[in-house]
Amino acid sequence: MSVTPTSASDRDNSGGGAARPKGSVRAGGDACPGALRLHSADDGALARVRLPAGLLTVRQAEVLAGISEELGDGGLDITSRGNVQLRGLADGCGGELGERLRAAGMLPSDRHERVRNTVASPLCGLDGTGHGDVRAWARELDRLLCANPDVTGLSGRFLFGLDDGRGDIAALGPDVTLIATEGGQALLGYGTSASGLRVAAAHGPRAAVLAAEVFLEAARASGATAWRVKDLAEEHRPHAGALAHRLATAGIVSAPAALAPPPGTPVEPGLVTGPYGRTALSVAAPLGRLTAAQWRLVVRTAAEDGAGELRVTPWRGIVVPGLPSDTAPDRLAALADAGLVTSAASPWHRAGACAGRPGCAKSRADVRADAADCLTGGRTRGLPVYWSGCERRCGHPSGVWVDVLATGEGYEIAVRGGTTDGTARTVTAAESAAAVTAARETT
């Protein structure tokens, strides 16, 4: 294990912290944390465990709970990539951490552990929507990544997105997006580009890895330090023509196609009705963090009444598939009683916060405590809202959202995203609840 001596946070978001001009050059190396390269924070070391497509067996989930309690601070953070962060880790625990993860099958390749960044449609196969099994794609993509020495050049922030056709993952703007379509086909493209390629779904994972290789070549040719596709200037970005040539060389037939998935929406908390009398539970972690006890209750639900698996989502939630429809409501109610977000009507739904004080030295406030004060009592709901302790805005959501930025004397509140940013309003901490409520109600 190595510990990077920098203030660690939950910088695991598609936005990448504070906004930068498109095509601007990254400064410095990629310090994105992993399970083997930890970051040092004010509350101890931080590990980020990659969970490709958010898939976990109950055994693996139990291992994470044990690590959080025995080596960390007893909490588990769910990131906006559907990964899990463990905080408050003691110095010198890296060896044991790695061994536990390897034994549970969560570290198939030490060299590739930070590049195994894959998000996938969490409700695939559960609600009758979608055109393909992205879970099978995810497993094959991960196998191919771990067998490819070239892709170790990808940054820890390069993101693969596997969309079953409903548009939820494509809306996140992954660096390489694979979208299932009818007739055993798939659409492949880069970032938010509207131009892509159509390939056979069976070739999708291999084509996605080749797309990442083409990106790496384009980044080297540009001479820029590029962690993601959007970091490259427009003229240097990989395009469908170059990718089509690479696919043809590999024996994969492709054709030009427009990337036009339906408008996708995040998974909502609650009951997800499926076929054959089975129901899935969708829950969210309050401000993205669960205690080990809350996490274990979800795991026990999956083990005792579900299909024995969990799907961690890029919206800081967990889907538990396969419950009998007659027992699912009671199980959901038990999770609500334990403090999890189980309804879209909750003010905690689509609310998040960075680590803040005391864990992060850069933070100007205990933003998590202030956020909890604002949300308790059902005073606000609407647009996504995110509390940040500094201008890096680590972990902030994509799209349109309410930015609550600590200033040291209060908060600066504005609606961000969309075509233009709104006018910021500066308030005291005591005034922030009313200001956040008004901002979240903006349409």
Side-chain angles (χ1 to χ4, degrees), residues 18-350:
R20 298 181 309 106
K22 290 184 177 181
S24 60
V25 178
R26 293 276 189 179
D30 174 21
C32 197
L36 299 178
R37 189 174 81 178
L38 311 188
H39 273 206
S40 178
D42 275 18
D43 58 351
L46 175 150
R48 182 174 299 154
V49 183
R50 264 69 176 185
L51 308 176
L55 300 176
L56 277 174
T57 66
V58 292
R59 173 176 170 269
Q60 290 172 330
E62 181 58 40
V63 167
L64 291 176
I67 292 173
S68 74
E69 288 182 320
E70 296 163 27
L71 303 181
D73 65 2
L76 300 97
D77 293 329
I78 300 178
T79 78
S80 57
R81 298 280 186 87
N83 295 319
V84 166
Q85 285 185 167
L86 305 170
R87 300 188 68 98
L89 298 168
D91 291 341
C93 76
E96 182 179 354
L97 172 64
E99 287 304 314
R100 289 195 187 193
L101 294 175
R102 289 187 196 94
M106 287 186 278
L107 272 181
S109 170
D110 286 7
R111 292 188 62 200
H112 294 81
E113 66 99 5
R114 291 195 317 130
V115 304
R116 300 170 65 230
N117 293 306
T118 303
V119 291
S121 300
L123 297 185
C124 171
L126 300 181
D127 62 353
T129 302
H131 302 298
D133 185 359
V134 295
R135 293 172 301 164
W137 270 355
R139 295 185 181 99
E140 177 65 6
L141 173 61
D142 198 51
R143 185 189 70 79
L144 292 171
L145 287 174
C146 290
N148 187 327
D150 294 334
V151 298
T152 57
L154 294 172
S155 81
R157 298 172 188 175
F158 191 90
L159 182 63
F160 295 89
L162 308 179
D163 193 308
D164 70 357
R166 71 183 68 220
D168 57 344
I169 297 300
L172 299 178
D175 296 284
V176 172
T177 305
L178 194 63
I179 306 170
T181 63
E182 294 178 316
Q185 298 288 299
L187 300 176
L188 176 68
Y190 288 108
T192 57
S193 173
S195 300
L197 299 172
R198 185 178 298 277
V199 300
H203 295 315
R206 187 157 65 102
V209 174
L210 292 170
E213 292 182 358
V214 173
F215 161 77
L216 285 171
E217 293 170 2
R220 285 193 292 268
S222 74
T225 300
W227 298 337
R228 306 196 62 192
V229 169
K230 66 182 181 181
D231 293 338
L232 292 173
E234 193 71 38
E235 63 270 21
H236 294 305
R237 292 181 187 176
H239 53 81
L243 179 54
H245 177 74
R246 175 60 63 85
L247 296 181
T249 301
I252 299 177
V253 176
S254 66
L259 297 180
T265 58
V267 178
E268 297 275 87
L271 299 174
V272 181
T273 304
Y276 314 116
R278 312 305 285 185
T279 295
L281 305 184
S282 174
V283 298
L287 300 179
R289 185 169 176 84
L290 296 176
T291 65
Q294 289 173 318
W295 177 272
R296 278 201 166 98
L297 181 58
V298 178
V299 175
R300 189 161 63 250
T301 301
E304 296 176 352
D305 220 18
E309 70 172 47
L310 286 72
R311 303 182 186 183
V312 182
T313 81
W315 299 283
R316 306 181 192 272
I318 304 173
V319 172
V320 182
L323 281 77
S325 297
D326 57 345
T327 63
D330 288 343
R331 288 288 194 172
L332 187 69
L335 295 175
D337 290 342
L340 281 79
V341 181
T342 61
S343 169
S346 168
W348 295 80
H349 177 46
R350 302 200 297 175

